[in-house]
Amino acid sequence: MVCKSCTMSTAAESADVGELRRRKASIDASSEHEDVIEETVTSPKTRKTYGRTKDGTVFTVPTTHDMVSQLLDPREPKNLSDAIVLAVLAGHILALYFLPESMKKPAFAFIFLFWRASYNLGIGILLRLQSNDNKLVAWAKKWNLFDNPSSGKNPRPWLYKLLKRELEIKIPEDYEFEKAPIEYNTWLVFRRLVDLILMCDFVSYCLFAIACAHLPAGESTYVTIARWFFGWLAIGFNLWVKLDAHRVVKDYAWYWGDFFYLVDQELTFDGVFEMAPHPMYSIGYAGYYGISALAASFSVLFISIAAHAAQLAFLVLIENPHIQKTYDPPTRKSEVPFRPRVHNLLGIKNIDLLRTVDYSTFLVLVLVALLAFATPQTPLHQTLFFSLALILRVWYNVGLGIILTRQSNSKAWTRHFLKVGDTPEEGWRQWKGYYHITQSLCYATFAAACWKMYSAPVDWNYGFVMLRHVIGTSLIALQIWTAVSIYDSLGEFGWFFGDFFFDQEAKLTYTSIYRFLNNPERVLGTAGLWGAAIITWSRSIFALALVSHLLTLGFLQFVEKPHMQKIYGQSLRHEAGLTKFIKRSLPPPVAEWQSSVNKVMDDTSNFVEDFLDAARPKLAAGVSTIVRDTTALFNKYPARLTLTKLSPDLAGFDPKHYSINVEGEASGSSALSERASGKEGTAGRFPNELKTMIFEYGAPIKVKWRAPAIHGKKDWIGLYMVADNRSREITELSSLGRWIPTLPGQFDSTTADRGILTWDQPVGDSGSDVDLVSGEMEFSGDKLWWTQGVFEFRYHHDGNHNVMSISQPFEVHINRFDYNGVEADDETTVQQAVESALLPVVQNCLDRDPDIAPSTPAEPFGSHVERHGKYPKRLVYAVQQMFGVELMPTVVSADGNVRNLAWRICNAKKAIVPYSMSRSRGTSTPDEEEVCASP
């Protein structure tokens, strides 16, 4: 059950004039109405669908049907796998009937968790392997599953006949087992496994709910009716979501078909995909909560929440990386955008207590927390904390709203800082700190007021106590998710109202949560406040939440909406995806009535606006949202090899017949001269005459090997630090992905095979008493160590860690930049020298990929530099070793090209060591020098 809503295209959407905070600097105008990346899926039956495998093979995709109808519809043909699935389901039902009452709940809880783990963990691992290494198809090839026995290559004719019969029964019209590509046949076998797991997952959940179902003691008739009404309504809604989603994505996306092959058609998404992000994984689980209500069981509710969380983790860890890799490949930016600030404020990873804003915020929050915990929960203290929270809420919404309105009308905030001699950028920086501290204080005092009003339940099972806490926590989580989605879509420029301060021709963006809602803060942005009110069950907190919500609505209407109309005008869309979907779903009489109501509301709104404009009041409010910056998932799956003892099959293999030669790009001459520090004796200050191999940091390294012609088919070569292994006969550590097999296709991993250049080339006139073969491979990218040190390659025998040969040790070195060697008559010359020295290092750090690495100092980096944190981390390490300047990885992404990065290094060096770059070499003071010219 796959949701690809984030990868498929939707119809162009317009948006409401009240559209809020969807602006983002440097978004291309042509993409402002594009919500998602296009994906292709099967089209209606009247048209043929063409599939394309990874090797370019084009084939006609046969028509398939959904799982439930194929399995339960007696008119559909059945096969052995259907019988197995039905038998397993029948076994579950019989177990519920025959198990004793005391065993039913724990037994079916275990059974459901087993099938849920099989789904999210088991299927997730298989899909990850298929996405990264085409592993499932490789296994099918290795086992000759689809090779015709008449060719003599298939050792299991019975399995071939079974698979042929099973698959052809299910697709009788336009499918031929022998002619279909191996990728398609593998997908068909995979989906039969998926059918078993998904059906058992759902049925075991329902049986667990039945085992837990009961009528709570003392429950009133009205509550029972409400519970059943909500339960069946949620189940019906869930059923509609699944059916409508399947209507859109068909079997191809439902069964993760794009992990195996792609189809050459496109589809515009509508229906449920306009309602919510990832509808099959978000609102598509509403039925779980409906069943929990019918069962009246918190056990069912909690296991539903756990299952839903596991499904969302499956989306984040399995589907999203594949979607990004398949439909959003690296691209090169057309230009490097101007960014007012690199060191962002929001997010845990950006907290810097050496920065005034962060230090002040930290102190204030600690003081509020100490006051909340240290003072008693008396009516006086409750009143004080309530009053403080209310005052700060009013200041946050009204006070900051007035400031923003004046900034929008007359640039009052910017004018103030220009008046005192500062720059507009300094005014923007001060505003961000001002807003950040106020927002943090507003929510901290609200939380403190909630703490003062909250009393821990004596009996969690009494009444709706447990339910209140579950609902309240869910609403708080919803607000946090909304804030994160808003921040991901807008960045800090939009979060801090950047278009009130800069006229950069910013464009609206309709991605992430703004694809579905024009103003997510209008409802979802205050959900956590209502959640806290439900948890505390305090009238004061309910009143505070209501006031906060009303002030938020006022801010949206009287501060953001006028400014948005002024700067974006007609580019604002009138309806979001959810609004359009609801209007299309209304019956004609209701739609006409709704249109009349809209007209009345618009006329009334225009009258009120004209009245307010005439009176010129300055009303303000703010957006009550909080943000939690999530760390990007760094997907790295190194191959791990098992340690084994010396194998008996080493007999007959002489290590002297194995050899490894290493070739790389030699580092500069300074690598050896830097070893002489002046602390040595006289004889030790001169370089050794030995030709020590010293290679450039990050440059590809070629390995040429020789071995007997009868060498192991799974021989492999790994890269290690010299000091990591004590033994020369056996390797004691895992290679952590830094290895390449000598022959391709032996480990069923395209990642492992990446780097093989040649293999098993006969060696003529080798002078040896056995026939030798040779090969060549190249270690680059993730298969290198991204640090300085001394390394060696080890040749291992037949998939084990038995060492047959070790290369000559070599050093990876980063040359220090010599400022004294630059004729620095002006700062521009120094910067150009830094650019020239930095460019090859940047190219190495970006794997010399033409889609990512620049060819000139002014050429922008590819988009993967922002997407994957490994590239900036490689580069900041090299900059620190080369120039002695320590930078944050975010600086690399922000600068965007070598020229900007060189300019930053020059100015940083100037600030840190003021005399090192001076023309006088120390004869003048820092005040007499000029910093490097800005690019």
Side-chain angles (χ1 to χ4, degrees), residues 246-312:
H246 189 272
R247 173 189 65 81
V248 175
V249 303
K250 307 295 190 300
D251 280 1
Y252 171 72
W254 189 279
Y255 288 100
W256 303 281
D258 57 359
F259 281 73
F260 297 83
Y261 65 94
L262 299 177
V263 294
D264 296 337
Q265 287 189 3
E266 298 176 358
L267 185 67
T268 298
F269 267 55
D270 59 4
V272 69
F273 286 91
E274 291 180 323
M275 290 189 64
H278 310 290
M280 295 171 63
Y281 291 167
S282 54
I283 58 177
Y285 271 70
Y288 270 34
Y289 303 104
I291 293 175
S292 301
L294 294 179
S297 169
F298 283 108
S299 298
V300 180
L301 177 60
F302 291 144
I303 208 169
S304 300
I305 294 173
H308 198 174
Q311 193 66 29
L312 295 176

Side-chain angles (χ1 to χ4, degrees), residues 51 163-164 173 196 231 262-263 354 635 804 829 861:
L163 292 176
K164 174 180 169 65
E173 296 94 354
L196 172 65
L262 299 177
V263 294
L354 298 181
N635 298 303
M804 307 305 292
T829 305
F861 303 148

Side-chain angles (χ1 to χ4, degrees), residues 42-49 60-66 70 167 170-175 184 187-188 191 250-251:
T42 53
S43 64
K45 296 181 180 178
T46 55
R47 299 177 57 189
K48 287 185 177 180
T49 302
T60 302
V61 179
T63 302
T64 57
H65 302 282
D66 66 274
Q70 281 193 329
L167 300 183
K170 284 297 182 182
I171 316 176
E173 296 94 354
D174 49 359
Y175 170 70
Y184 186 76
W187 176 65
L188 290 180
R191 62 177 284 174
K250 307 295 190 300
D251 280 1

Side-chain angles (χ1 to χ4, degrees), residues 19-29 32 337-339 485-495 498-499 504-512 514 564 567-568 866:
E19 155 102 349
L20 305 176
R21 292 212 251 166
R22 287 170 317 203
R23 56 262 190 202
K24 200 176 195 177
S26 51
I27 299 293
D28 185 72
E32 67 182 31
F338 168 74
R339 307 191 181 194
S485 298
I486 291 172
Y487 182 76
D488 286 342
S489 179
L490 305 180
E492 295 219 343
F493 182 83
W495 182 270
D499 52 10
Q504 298 182 33
E505 298 183 357
K507 303 298 180 183
L508 294 175
T509 176
Y510 296 90
T511 59
S512 187
Y514 288 104
M564 297 285 287
I567 63 173
Y568 296 112
E866 286 191 18

Side-chain angles (χ1 to χ4, degrees), residues 228-251:
W228 277 73
F229 176 78
F230 167 77
W232 286 113
L233 181 65
I235 292 172
F237 176 72
N238 194 149
L239 180 61
W240 172 81
V241 169
K242 298 295 186 183
L243 292 176
D244 196 60
H246 189 272
R247 173 189 65 81
V248 175
V249 303
K250 307 295 190 300
D251 280 1

Side-chain angles (χ1 to χ4, degrees), residues 315-326:
L315 170 70
V316 172
L317 300 177
I318 305 300
E319 285 203 29
N320 282 351
H322 177 78
I323 290 170
Q324 190 177 63
K325 179 174 66 176
T326 304

